[in-house]
């Protein structure tokens, strides 16, 4: 790839040595995410069946609160970042509260049996997810040398995705042994979540320890004020990256729309529809580490931009002539490659632009900007679909994405 | 804490939590096993021949949920005496309906890595004519009065974190040509006289008027609509707001449906109503509890519907004119169809 040759300054990496080069903290956090995702996806996988068959409910319209909740979730994420930075590095503590909150929700599912209460438990669960994301990513960045951050985030995201793929399998095994044993699924999920929290508490170094091995690890014990976190946007590098993430986020059509268009475009048989997210996840899982390593070589911002070209490629295939067999697979591979080139690469890139003492706040800012922009895009895309139909809406999204990519490239400049 | 000690703590916790998990799974497995044993006080059940063909007396064919080895099998009882011994067929279904010798059975298929669902079209002797894979959890099924057209609805869940994003998928099958229209959302929606596009449309609860026309529910923009469907023109035309799971009376003049009534709790928002299609006037029925079912007409004056019960669901009956009182018809039963 020509981009790889254009950067001769990247540190040489011998093949097969990448595992040794990933810090223990990252592997520990990866394990926590893997275990937590097994637990979370066990619940996600059986929830529809539980609501419909177990409780006899009609869960239609249940997702209506999602939109409201997305806004709240963005605030929670900023809060998690800010709390983690306060007092000079309480990342582990805030992450533990986030993981702990989600873990507590799993046994609660055994106790509630109505849609509003189940919805409330899921909202608390996602609050925990919002709280922990920024401190966890900050810990990953703080425990990894700058030159290897892309790969470290790649390893973390690959482990995370592996958990997401294993969870439904475990849930299915439980239901196979115990027909209609949804309570058993929730109990096992609770136990798995507890193990995840324990691994975090036992094996992720807290506070000062976490940053000991970074070269620029000077500590600033002074308290971080909320205003400081917002003032981060005055840092040119972070501001440019945030603008770039927001621009591209505004043109990133949400996964469910992608699968819906894919299903319609290629007339995917109904029974395969649930497999579409698995295709994206598998591609993400396989590409996260290699693309993370590529990001370290060619520049993380550059790969972040290139990742959006993979998404543009997926849109193009969805808009192009309805070809045969392998085209849907190609769409999913590109979609997974898009995630592999952006999901962990963005915090890896942002970490370089934020001082250590405000790391979690900075990552939360970029991540929240992207998430809010994506939410805005799904609203706009839904409206465009309503007005003009799916293909026209996707055509506009593709055009906007191409434009956003050009603008973002101009904004972000050379790394 | 030293590394060794930390590993010891983790191993101890994993063993403990593993024990709790194993206990929970075994407990649930034991409970599942008990459901396969006959429960004292349950209905009498006898294996036999269940047929959908005309003749042999008016009867009700349904999914029997009574505990025992024949749980979830299609069963038959005389319509006049539903407490009689249930004749069970050996055919397991989650949802079922039948008309004029055609049955539709939505059933689970247990695979090695995942469960899946399929729609099985049955002949009058409950033998499979053809089956079709389903993309979600079965919820509604209907057959047209002539027995030619079949419709079903499944729940499809989204892929978002902690999946709270549900949608439905409704399909219509022509059993003469075996043409499957697998997603009614592709029909052209005509709302207030104009073609309407939306990404959030959901269609469910088909009830057939004849082989070319049906009624159903369309949801979009947070509202539900009664729609009139045309199979040949592939259109859905909105008629009225706030109508879910319509069920057309045998004489074709009225629709029973569940209506979202303001002021009721969010998890139990529905009441049964009947809409007169000539006057477009609706009447609330005497059943005051929350009903989440597509009712079935046992005749032109009486409705049958399911409510949650000790064995999953019970069937209840209420007059269709708004008078009378609800009465329990059959315990441990779901998805009835009347065969004459």
């Amino acid at each position: 790839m020509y981009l790889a040759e254009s950067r001769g300054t990247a540190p040489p990496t011998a093949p097969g040595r990448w595992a040794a080069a990933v810090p223990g903290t990252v592997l520990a956090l990866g394990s926590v995410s893997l275990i937590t995702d097994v637990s979370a996806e066990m619940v996600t996988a059986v929830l529809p069946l539980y609501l419909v068959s177990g409780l006899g409910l009609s869960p239609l319209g249940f997702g209506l609160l999602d939109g409201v909740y997305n806004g709240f979730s963005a605030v929670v994420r900023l809060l998690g970042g800010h709390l983690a930075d306060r007092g000079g590095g309480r990342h582990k503590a805030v992450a533990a509260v986030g993981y702990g909150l989600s873990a507590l929700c799993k046994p609660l599912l055994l106790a509630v049996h109505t849609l509003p209460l189940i919805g409330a438990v899921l909202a608390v669960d996602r609050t925990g997810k919002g709280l922990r994301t920024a401190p966890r990513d900050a810990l990953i960045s703080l425990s990894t040398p700058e030159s290897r951050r892309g790969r470290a985030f790649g390893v973390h995201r690959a482990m995370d995705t592996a958990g997401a793929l294993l969870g439904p399998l475990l849930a299915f095994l439980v239901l196979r042994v115990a027909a209609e044993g949804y309570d058993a699924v929730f109990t096992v999920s609770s136990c798995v979540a507890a193990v995840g929290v324990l691994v975090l508490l036992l094996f992720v170094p807290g506070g000062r320890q976490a940053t000991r091995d970074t070269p620029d690890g000077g500590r600033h014990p002074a308290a971080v004020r909320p205003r400081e976190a917002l003032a981060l946007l005055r840092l040119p590098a972070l501001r440019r990256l945030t603008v770039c993430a927001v621009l591209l986020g505004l043109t990133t059509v949400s996964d469910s729309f992608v699968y819906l268009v894919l299903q319609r475009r290629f007339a995917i048989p109904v029974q395969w529809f649930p497999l579409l997210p698995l295709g994206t996840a598998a591609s993400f899982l396989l590409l996260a580490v290699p693309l993370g390593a590529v990001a370290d070589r060619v520049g993380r911002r550059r790969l972040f931009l290139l990742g959006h070209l993979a998404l543009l490629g997926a849109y193009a295939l969805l808009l192009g002539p309805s070809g045969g067999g392998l085209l849907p697979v190609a769409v999913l591979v590109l979609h997974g490659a898009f995630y592999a080139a952006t999901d962990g690469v963005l915090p890896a890139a942002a970490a370089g632009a934020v001082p250590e003492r405000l790391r979690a706040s900075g990552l939360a800012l970029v991540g929240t900007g992207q998430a809010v922009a994506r939410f805005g895009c799904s609203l706009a895309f839904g409206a465009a679909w309503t007005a003009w139909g799916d293909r026209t809406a996707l055509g506009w999204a593709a055009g906007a994405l191409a434009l956003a990519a050009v603008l973002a490239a101009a904004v972000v400049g050379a790394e | 804490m030293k590394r060794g000690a930390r590993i010891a703590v983790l191993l101890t916790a994993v063993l403990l939590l593993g024990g709790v998990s194993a206990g929970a799974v075994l407990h649930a497995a034991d409970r599942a096993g008990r459901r396969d044993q006959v429960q004292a006080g349950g209905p009498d059940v006898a294996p036999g021949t269940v047929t959908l063909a005309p003749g042999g007396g008016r009867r009700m064919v349904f999914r029997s949920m009574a505990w025992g080895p024949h749980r979830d099998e299609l069963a038959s009882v005389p319509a006049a005496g539903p407490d009689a011994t249930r004749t069970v067929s050996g055919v397991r279904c989650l949802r079922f309906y039948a008309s004029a010798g055609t049955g539709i059975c939505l059933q689970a298929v247990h695979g090695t890595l995942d469960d899946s669902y399929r729609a099985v079209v049955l002949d009058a002797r409950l033998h499979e004519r053809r089956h079709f894979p389903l993309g979600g959890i079965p919820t509604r099924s209907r057959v047209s009065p002539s027995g030619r057209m079949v419709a079903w609805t499944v729940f499809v869940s989204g892929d978002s974190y902690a999946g709270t994003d549900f949608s439905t998928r409704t399909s219509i099958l022509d059993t003469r040509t075996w043409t499957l229209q697998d997603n009614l959302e592709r029909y052209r929606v005509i709302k207030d006289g104009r073609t309407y596009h939306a990404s959030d449309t959901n269609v469910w609860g088909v009830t057939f008027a004849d082989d070319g026309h049906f009624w159903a529910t369309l949801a979009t923009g947070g509202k539900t609509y009664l729609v009139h469907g045309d199979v040949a023109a592939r259109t859905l035309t909105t008629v009225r707001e706030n109508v879910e799971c319509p069920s057309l009376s045998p004489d074709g003049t009225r629709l029973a449906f569940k209506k979202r009534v303001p002021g009721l709790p969010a998890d139990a928002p529905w009441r049964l109503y009947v809409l007169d299609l000539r006057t477009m006037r609706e009447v609330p029925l005497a059943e005051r509890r929350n009903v989440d079912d597509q009712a079935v007409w046992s005749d032109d004056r009486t409705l049958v519907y399911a409510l949650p019960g000790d064995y999953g669901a019970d069937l209840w009956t209420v007059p269709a004119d708004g008078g009378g009182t609800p009465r329990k018809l059959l315990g441990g039963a779901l998805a009835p169809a009347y065969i004459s």
Side-chain angles (χ1 to χ4, degrees):
Chain A
M1 193 174 193
Y2 73 99
L3 285 166
E5 291 153 14
S6 71
R7 278 188 70 92
T9 53
T13 40
R17 283 194 52 207
W18 66 267
V22 175
T25 303
V26 173
L27 291 178
L29 284 168
S31 307
V32 174
S33 290
L34 189 153
I35 296 165
T36 303
D37 258 34
V38 167
S39 159
E41 294 299 325
M42 282 183 79
V43 171
T44 306
V46 304
L47 200 65
L49 196 58
Y50 171 63
L51 294 179
V52 178
S53 307
L55 296 179
L57 301 173
S58 292
L60 264 191
F62 188 43
L64 290 181
L65 276 176
D66 276 12
V68 180
Y69 191 75
N70 270 322
F72 179 58
S73 176
V75 176
V76 167
R77 190 156 167 177
L78 288 173
L79 185 72
H82 174 65
L83 290 177
D85 285 336
R86 258 171 63 168
R90 292 190 305 199
H91 300 101
K92 181 180 171 181
V94 176
V97 169
Y99 281 108
L101 207 55
S102 295
L104 285 178
C105 288
K106 305 302 188 300
L108 275 182
L109 284 174
L110 291 166
V112 298
H113 300 105
T114 62
L115 272 182
L117 284 178
I118 292 169
V121 170
L122 295 179
V124 175
D125 192 329
R126 285 205 277 180
T127 303
K129 188 180 166 70
L131 272 180
R132 72 196 179 224
T133 303
R136 180 201 62 210
D137 282 356
L139 275 176
I140 294 173
S141 76
L142 290 171
S143 57
T144 314
E146 212 273 329
S147 60
R148 293 191 186 129
R149 267 183 204 144
R151 192 167 40 190
F153 274 98
V155 169
H156 175 267
R157 296 306 196 259
M159 293 178 82
D160 189 89
T161 309
L165 287 170
L166 288 175
L169 282 181
L170 185 55
F172 177 76
L173 282 180
V174 171
L175 288 185
R176 177 46 44 91
V177 175
E180 294 167 55
Y182 305 105
D183 52 347
V185 174
F186 296 151
T187 306
V188 174
S189 167
S190 307
C191 293
V192 173
V195 172
V197 175
L198 203 61
V199 170
L200 173 80
L201 292 176
L202 289 172
F203 295 97
V204 174
R208 276 143 241 279
Q209 245 186 316
T211 57
R212 202 176 42 194
D213 50 352
T214 57
D216 52 344
R219 303 301 310 166
H220 301 268
V224 172
R225 291 186 305 276
R227 201 176 299 164
E228 269 187 282
L230 283 178
L232 277 173
L233 283 178
R234 293 209 199 105
L235 297 173
L238 188 68
R239 188 175 59 227
R240 283 201 295 263
L241 194 61
T242 308
V243 167
C244 175
V246 167
L247 269 177
L248 292 164
L250 281 172
T251 54
T252 302
V253 172
S254 80
D255 293 1
S256 34
F257 281 126
V258 170
Y259 301 135
L260 213 54
V261 176
L262 181 68
Q263 201 272 334
R264 288 173 164 225
R265 186 82 199 103
F266 298 104
I268 310 270
V270 285
Q271 71 274 25
W272 288 5
F273 191 73
L275 297 181
L276 300 181
L278 296 187
T280 299
S283 159
F284 184 10
L285 172 68
L286 292 175
L287 293 172
V289 179
L291 286 182
V294 169
D296 288 336
R297 285 180 155 247
V298 307
R300 292 178 269 266
R301 295 168 208 194
R302 187 176 290 173
L303 194 76
F304 180 70
L305 282 174
L306 285 176
H308 285 82
L309 294 187
L311 184 63
L312 192 59
Y315 290 179
L317 289 183
L318 287 172
L319 288 165
S322 175
L326 285 178
L327 271 183
V329 176
V331 170
L332 293 176
V333 169
L334 283 171
H335 196 228
F338 156 67
Y339 276 111
T342 57
D343 194 72
V345 171
L346 180 63
V354 192
E356 256 188 47
R357 60 188 287 268
L358 289 169
R359 185 64 53 80
S361 309
L363 295 190
L365 207 58
V366 180
T368 304
Q370 185 189 42
V372 170
R374 281 185 182 175
F375 178 57
C377 176
S378 46
L379 291 184
F381 190 78
W385 183 316
T386 303
W388 302 307
D390 57 346
R391 277 172 68 74
T392 313
L394 191 67
W396 278 102
L401 177 58
L403 183 65
V406 171
L407 286 175
V411 167
V412 85
E415 192 162 4
Chain B
M1 223 189 303
K2 291 221 175 73
R3 189 176 175 77
R6 282 182 278 152
I7 289 175
V9 169
L10 182 67
L11 282 180
T12 312
V14 166
L15 281 178
L16 271 172
L17 293 165
V20 171
S21 298
V25 174
L26 288 177
H27 173 74
D30 178 52
R31 189 186 51 207
R34 273 204 308 277
R35 279 195 289 259
D36 289 336
Q37 276 149 38
V38 178
Q39 184 86 341
D44 291 331
V45 163
T49 307
V50 173
T51 151
L52 305 177
R58 187 169 150 81
R59 59 204 182 274
M60 187 165 67
V61 179
F62 58 97
R63 168 185 168 191
S64 173
M65 299 177 87
W67 285 10
H70 299 287
R71 197 167 70 101
D72 294 339
E73 289 181 13
L74 292 183
S76 170
V77 292
D83 290 328
T85 298
R86 296 180 181 185
T87 306
V88 288
S89 63
V91 178
R92 280 208 155 90
C93 305
L94 297 169
R95 295 283 166 171
F96 169 77
Y97 195 74
S99 184
T102 300
I104 177 68
C105 165
L106 309 184
Q107 61 183 200
V109 185
H110 301 295
T112 37
L113 281 180
D114 202 356
D115 279 355
S116 57
Y117 302 96
R118 61 184 192 179
V120 184
V121 178
L122 302 171
D123 67 13
R125 297 164 64 203
L126 299 188
H127 292 152
E128 175 179 327
R129 290 176 67 195
R130 219 173 261 218
H131 70 256
F132 299 83
L134 297 174
I137 306 161
T139 159
R140 307 278 178 242
S141 60
R142 278 297 187 266
V143 180
S144 69
S146 76
R148 172 175 172 179
M149 305 299 283
V150 172
W152 58 77
T153 301
V154 298
F155 274 119
V156 183
S157 65
D159 52 280
S160 63
Y161 178 81
T164 55
D165 189 16
F166 288 89
S167 58
T168 58
R169 186 185 292 272
T170 296
S171 312
I172 286 186
L173 173 71
D174 184 335
T175 65
R176 194 170 299 163
T177 63
W178 297 112
T179 313
L180 176 68
Q181 299 185 337
D182 89 50
N183 191 353
L184 288 198
E185 284 162 35
R186 293 203 196 142
Y187 273 32
R188 189 160 66 91
V189 175
I190 303 165
K191 184 163 166 276
D192 308 322
R194 274 202 295 259
T195 297
Y196 173 84
H197 298 280
S199 56
D200 70 342
T201 54
N202 273 301
V203 181
W204 68 90
V206 165
T207 183
F208 285 100
D210 54 46
D211 290 340
H213 302 88
F214 60 91
W215 303 87
T217 305
L218 169 83
T220 181
K223 289 182 177 166
T224 60
Y225 300 88
L226 173 66
V227 287
H228 190 244
D230 186 319
V231 178
R234 297 169 64 89
T235 54
L236 297 170
T237 309
T238 61
V239 176
R240 189 182 175 87
E241 253 186 59
N242 197 1
V243 170
E244 293 181 56
C245 296
S247 173
L248 190 65
S249 61
D251 62 11
T253 61
R254 284 154 298 153
L255 285 173
F257 65 100
K258 58 181 213 200
K259 174 174 171 164
R260 210 174 270 268
V261 177
L264 294 183
D267 58 325
W270 294 294
R271 291 280 190 274
L272 269 187
Y273 277 70
V274 166
L275 174 72
D276 188 311
L277 288 169
R278 281 172 298 208
T279 62
M280 286 313 245
R281 271 221 298 260
E282 58 184 36
V283 188
L285 300 192
E287 175 59 78
R288 309 304 293 168
R289 286 168 291 183
N290 179 61
V291 175
D292 181 7
D293 192 19
Q294 185 173 21
V296 166
W297 295 76
S298 61
D299 55 48
D300 277 322
R301 294 176 311 280
T302 320
L303 287 162
V304 176
Y305 51 93
L307 285 176
D310 294 339
Y311 302 99
D314 298 330
L315 291 178
W316 290 70
T317 180
V318 72
D321 60 1
T325 48
R327 185 171 57 81
K328 189 163 160 182
L329 185 67
L330 201 53
L334 188 69
Y338 282 86
I339 315 289
S340 300

